[in-house]
Structure formats: structure tokens, C-alpha cells
Amino acid sequence: MESVEDVIKKAKKLYTRKGYFERFFELCINNPGQTYKAVYHMLESEYIMIFGQNRYDNYESFKSSKSQFLKSN
């Protein structure tokens, strides 16, 4: 079980676009056998647990945002 401090740190990270995608790539590294879509669902589950709603409506909108994020960095 995560401590309150850990949940707060994760919430602060996931709240930002940069932090959200950093967490996505962390999950990709930690789950090498999973597809990007599966990792997206893992990340959205984490996001829902903290914020009570999805960050992205669907995988397609996530992919579009990820592409824009990667182009800008």
C-alpha cells in the first residue's frame, strides 16, 4: 500500500503533461512485454485512482497528445 506522501507525489507528477508522459515511459520500461495500448490503460487506471476520471477520452486521443508531446521535446 502506498503512503499518502507517495500518492501526493504521484498526483503532482501525473497532473502535468510532462509528468504524465514520463510515467507512461517508466511503465513501458517496467513492463517490456506490454503493448503501448496496454500501458496506456495501466496509466489511465493510476490516473483514475487519484483523480476519479480519465485524462484522455480514448487511446486515439492519447496517441495524438503523445505525438505532439514528443515533437515538442
Side-chain angles (χ1 to χ4, degrees):
M1 182 150 186
E2 290 182 299
S3 70
V4 172
E5 291 82 14
D6 290 339
V7 173
I8 291 170
K9 280 173 54 175
K10 187 181 282 186
K12 285 180 179 180
K13 183 173 189 171
L14 291 178
Y15 185 76
T16 68
R17 185 172 186 231
K18 180 180 183 218
Y20 182 90
F21 286 112
E22 285 176 353
R23 181 63 180 146
F24 172 77
F25 291 114
E26 286 173 11
L27 287 172
C28 287
I29 291 168
N30 293 334
N31 298 279
Q34 298 294 320
T35 64
Y36 281 169
K37 189 172 187 176
V39 174
Y40 155 76
H41 286 294
M42 284 185 233
L43 181 53
E44 282 293 285
S45 293
E46 285 185 10
Y47 194 88
I48 291 167
M49 295 270 295
I50 293 170
F51 297 104
Q53 63 186 24
N54 288 339
R55 180 169 181 127
Y56 293 98
D57 291 334
N58 55 49
Y59 183 63
E60 294 304 315
S61 63
F62 163 79
K63 284 191 331 183
S64 176
S65 187
K66 180 176 65 117
S67 177
Q68 291 171 4
F69 172 76
L70 291 173
K71 287 177 187 175
S72 69
N73 288 310

